[in-house]
Amino acid sequence: HNYEVVENFENNYCVVGKNKKYGVIDSTGKIIIPIQYNSIKLLSNNKNQITIWANLNNKWGILDTDNDIIIPFCYDEICINSTTISIRKNNLWGVSKRNGEIIIPIHYEFIINDYDKRHTLVKRDNQFGVLNYNLKDLYLFSSNPINPQEIIPCQYDALYDDSGRKEDYYSNLSDLNSEQVSDEGFPV
């Protein structure tokens, strides 16, 4: 094979490219993901498992090393970290587990998670709210069922921390709950 692009191996897998299309080979040189994608990225976790996210016809999806589709190629953007996958479709965000299960529905303008806190700031219809869930919980308690709920509904122009600082994105909301927020979005 004459590849124009050969990236570094990661856990025995390597992205290769030819004619501006990309695929994945294993350490023996066998093509495991066909060279047909606009872009491919590999991410390994601490268990030496590989996640392959790829772009096909300007839509992103997730494949496994058997070339099975885990998350369909219907997303405008995918961001992966060690525990979760943030997915964007029609300018709205949601969060998925690595197995493709949607855990935060795709209807937020943004989702900001702070790993030092217990909650997640969200924005829907230009209004801020807070979920009773921190994405860190997925990593720590991955076998537990996940059912995030808006404990502060998305109906506030802004949220403020206990010192009065405006929270356009997440910080210092860890101790808030819906009983602690006034109708104006201020802690009480």
Side-chain angles (χ1 to χ4, degrees):
H1 298 284
N2 269 347
Y3 300 120
E4 297 163 0
V5 174
V6 178
E7 295 186 1
N8 291 329
F9 275 88
E10 188 164 337
N11 288 340
N12 297 317
Y13 298 101
C14 174
V15 172
V16 294
K18 190 174 188 176
N19 299 323
K20 298 185 182 180
K21 296 292 182 181
Y22 302 89
V24 176
I25 60 171
D26 66 14
S27 58
T28 68
K30 177 184 172 193
I31 296 174
I32 63 160
I33 305 295
I35 301 171
Q36 66 184 27
Y37 296 95
N38 302 54
S39 178
I40 284 190
K41 299 177 184 183
L42 302 178
L43 179 73
S44 61
N45 65 14
N46 56 4
K47 297 177 184 174
N48 291 328
Q49 296 169 322
I50 292 285
T51 299
I52 302 167
W53 77 102
N55 184 299
L56 182 64
N57 300 322
N58 295 318
K59 295 294 180 182
W60 289 90
I62 304 287
L63 303 164
D64 66 15
T65 54
D66 293 323
N67 198 31
D68 293 325
I69 296 173
I70 305 301
I71 294 179
F73 287 86
C74 63
Y75 297 104
D76 302 321
E77 187 173 353
I78 291 179
C79 300
I80 298 179
N81 67 32
S82 61
T83 60
T84 58
I85 300 170
S86 298
I87 48 181
R88 182 175 63 88
K89 187 175 186 177
N90 300 324
N91 291 320
L92 298 176
W93 288 92
V95 176
S96 167
K97 287 184 180 180
R98 284 178 173 249
N99 66 4
E101 176 189 347
I102 303 291
I103 54 174
I104 296 178
I106 304 168
H107 60 237
Y108 294 104
E109 293 160 30
F110 70 69
I111 298 171
I112 303 293
N113 187 68
D114 186 324
Y115 284 101
D116 295 331
K117 309 291 190 227
R118 295 185 313 253
H119 303 101
T120 299
L121 180 75
V122 292
K123 184 178 180 184
R124 185 177 67 231
D125 298 327
N126 217 25
Q127 302 285 295
F128 291 92
V130 175
L131 299 179
N132 66 339
Y133 173 71
N134 184 291
L135 299 180
K136 179 181 176 185
D137 295 338
L138 179 60
Y139 178 70
L140 294 177
F141 309 106
S142 60
S143 62
N144 290 351
I146 297 167
N147 186 22
Q149 302 291 318
E150 286 183 13
I151 58 170
I152 299 177
C154 290
Q155 61 187 32
Y156 299 101
D157 294 331
L159 295 174
Y160 296 82
D161 69 11
D162 54 3
S163 67
R165 187 176 62 220
K166 185 176 181 178
E167 299 298 342
D168 290 321
Y169 53 90
Y170 197 64
S171 67
N172 297 329
L173 289 173
S174 63
D175 295 322
L176 289 181
N177 61 48
S178 57
E179 289 78 38
Q180 294 174 289
V181 178
S182 70
D183 290 338
E184 296 80 31
F186 290 89
V188 291

